[in-house]
Structure formats: structure tokens, C-alpha cells
Amino acid sequence: DALTAHWPLWAGFLVMLVPTLAGLGREVWSMEIGAHGPIVLATGLWLITQCLPDMRARHSPARALPIVLILALAVPLYVFGRAYDFISLEAAGVYGAMLALAYRLAGWPALRHNIFPFVYLGFLVPPPGWLIDQATAPLRTLVSTVATALLQPLGYPIQREGVTLFVGSYQMLVEDACAGMNSIVGLTAITLFYIYLLHKASWRYSLLLVALIIPVAIFVNIIRVIVLILLTYYAGDGVAQGFLHVTTGIVLFTLALAAMFGIDWLLQRLLGDRLGANA
């Protein structure tokens, strides 16, 4: 039995995993950018349980060299991230250790044939802050520009300087949460899970839907910024930046997810097996 025969590997992995999950819960999952984390963890583990019979049937001996190479990268990442409180590096190290453990227990043929759950769990690794800043810079500019251009002709006193919006006597900064990055990360994870569960579609079809996530997320975030601008204008900054700030994000994320499901439904009927063929 894999649990008893390899208990030292499991024990070592759990020593890494448990504190990292606690850190993710405190530092990432409680914020908008990581809200998809618990969903990815639960659904990813469920997917692995569904793949276990096939992985057992395809089991083959694992070579030592790939395990050593993966751990040679993963362990230093974990130690450095843990020591200096870089949760992204720490989580990346745990993720690498998970891949090494899966390869050791199942072998490459079994892992390759059931690779999606393990790739999917990679969404648990939060992007580093500098990457988010770089990726969201053009999105913040686009969102703020479009929102200003739509509201000015309607007579609202709104001006823009970079990503700073002046609404009447109020000043708003288009934060990362309104720039599309958070929605793109969460939407990509959940959409890929949906595609795999419902279609087990080819990578080409998956890439097509993932590409469509970006314009959907940007459109939804433009709506969100407009809503927050109107809330600020009519009700004040305290209302717009309080409970309703998070609420609008949840509602519009749900709308974006529904839009992706609708796009998939439409593509399935328009393109059929040409894009939705099983892998």
C-alpha cells in the first residue's frame, strides 16, 4: 500500500504542506486574488481521487534522477520562501515536492495520462506581487480609460490621470482588484476545471476558451469600475470602498463565470467535435 510503504515521503511532504496551507489561508485566500484557492484545493483533490484507479493500472517504476532534479529545485524554494516569508516561493516549493511525490508513487506513464489534476493544483501557487504589478499595469490603464470615456459623455464630473480617477470631490485609484488580473486567474482555474469535467476536451479547445477569458474578465472589470464610480459619486467613498466593494467583485465574477459557460455552450453547438474532440 502506497500510504504505508512510503510513509516517510508522506510525512516529509505533510511537514511542508500543513504550514504552507495555513499561510495561504492567512495571506492569500482571505484576499480577492486568492479567493479561488479553497475551491481549487477541494476540486483538485477530488479529481485526483477520480484518477487513482487509472493511475494504479498504469503504475510503473520511477527513475531516481527526475525526482532528485525536482527536489533540488523545490526544497531550496521552500526553505527560502519559508525563511523570508515569500509565500509564492514557499507554495511553489510545496507544489514541486507534490509533483516529485506523485512521480515517485505512480511513475511517468500514469502521471502523464492523468496530468490535468496536478497542473490544475498549480493554481494554488499565488503569483508574486511584482508579477501582478507588471501584468496589471496595462489593464488598469485600459479599464480606467474606458470607464472614463463611457461616463464623461453622460455628464458625470470624472477626470483621469493615469490610473487615478477624480469623481467630483473624490479620488479613486484603479487597484489591482479592478484591473482584471484577479478575475483572470480565478476564471482560468475554474473554467479549466469545467472544461475537463464536462468535456475532457483537447488542449486546443482549452486554449481557445482560456484566450476568451481575458476579454471577458476585462469587460467585467470595466463594469465593476463603473459601478464603483457611480457608488462613489452618489453614496460617497466610504460606501464604495466598504462592503459593496467586495460584493461587486463577487457578483461580477459570477457573471464572468456564467459568461464563460455560455461561450462554451455556444462553441459546442457552432463548432461541435472540431474543437471539442476528446484528447
Side-chain angles (χ1 to χ4, degrees):
D1 183 80
L3 286 176
T4 56
H6 302 285
W7 69 265
L9 296 177
W10 285 106
F13 177 65
L14 289 175
V15 167
M16 298 173 65
L17 175 65
V18 173
T20 300
L21 287 180
L24 286 171
R26 290 191 309 268
E27 301 177 33
V28 181
W29 295 351
S30 59
M31 299 188 301
E32 199 169 345
I33 190 170
H36 61 278
I39 299 174
V40 171
L41 178 61
T43 52
L45 293 177
W46 178 80
L47 284 176
I48 290 177
T49 63
Q50 302 304 301
C51 294
L52 283 178
D54 184 75
M55 294 181 71
R56 290 193 184 100
R58 298 175 184 271
H59 176 270
S60 64
R63 294 187 298 166
L65 182 59
I67 299 174
V68 171
L69 292 176
I70 295 173
L71 291 179
L73 177 62
V75 173
L77 279 177
Y78 174 80
V79 172
F80 185 85
R82 184 77 182 161
Y84 294 97
D85 198 25
F86 290 116
I87 190 64
S88 296
L89 296 181
E90 181 183 341
V94 173
Y95 179 68
M98 180 200 71
L99 294 179
L101 178 62
Y103 174 74
R104 173 64 182 86
L105 296 178
W108 176 240
L111 192 60
R112 179 183 61 190
H113 194 263
N114 297 278
I115 195 64
F116 177 79
F118 298 96
V119 173
Y120 176 67
L121 285 172
F123 283 97
L124 291 174
V125 180
W130 63 266
L131 179 61
I132 295 176
D133 290 340
Q134 292 295 321
T136 58
L139 293 178
R140 281 181 288 179
T141 301
L142 174 62
V143 168
S144 57
T145 300
V146 173
T148 302
L150 290 175
L151 290 176
Q152 279 181 337
L154 299 179
Y156 288 97
I158 178 172
Q159 299 294 326
R160 181 181 69 88
E161 291 184 7
V163 295
T164 302
L165 303 180
F166 298 90
V167 186
S169 60
Y170 299 102
Q171 177 178 318
M172 292 179 58
L173 178 65
V174 181
E175 300 282 357
D176 292 345
C178 301
M181 184 62 177
N182 299 347
S183 296
I184 290 171
V185 174
L187 279 172
T188 300
I190 297 175
T191 300
L192 287 176
F193 173 75
Y194 165 81
I195 296 169
Y196 178 82
L197 193 65
L198 196 64
H199 306 304
K200 286 196 165 74
S202 69
W203 63 268
R204 294 180 183 86
Y205 185 66
S206 299
L207 286 178
L208 173 63
L209 279 186
V210 167
L212 293 174
I213 287 172
I214 297 176
V216 168
I218 292 174
F219 174 74
V220 165
N221 278 273
I222 290 172
I223 296 177
R224 183 184 184 186
V225 170
I226 290 175
V227 170
L228 292 176
I229 289 172
L230 295 178
L231 284 173
T232 300
Y233 180 73
Y234 287 109
D237 185 68
V239 174
Q241 299 303 318
F243 172 75
L244 288 178
H245 184 87
V246 178
T247 302
T248 55
I250 295 173
V251 171
L252 291 173
F253 179 85
T254 305
L255 176 63
L257 199 57
M260 292 307 305
F261 295 162
I263 290 171
D264 170 63
W265 179 86
L266 184 62
L267 288 176
Q268 288 293 317
R269 276 145 187 80
L270 291 177
L271 304 175
D273 292 338
R274 284 182 294 175
L275 287 176
N278 289 341

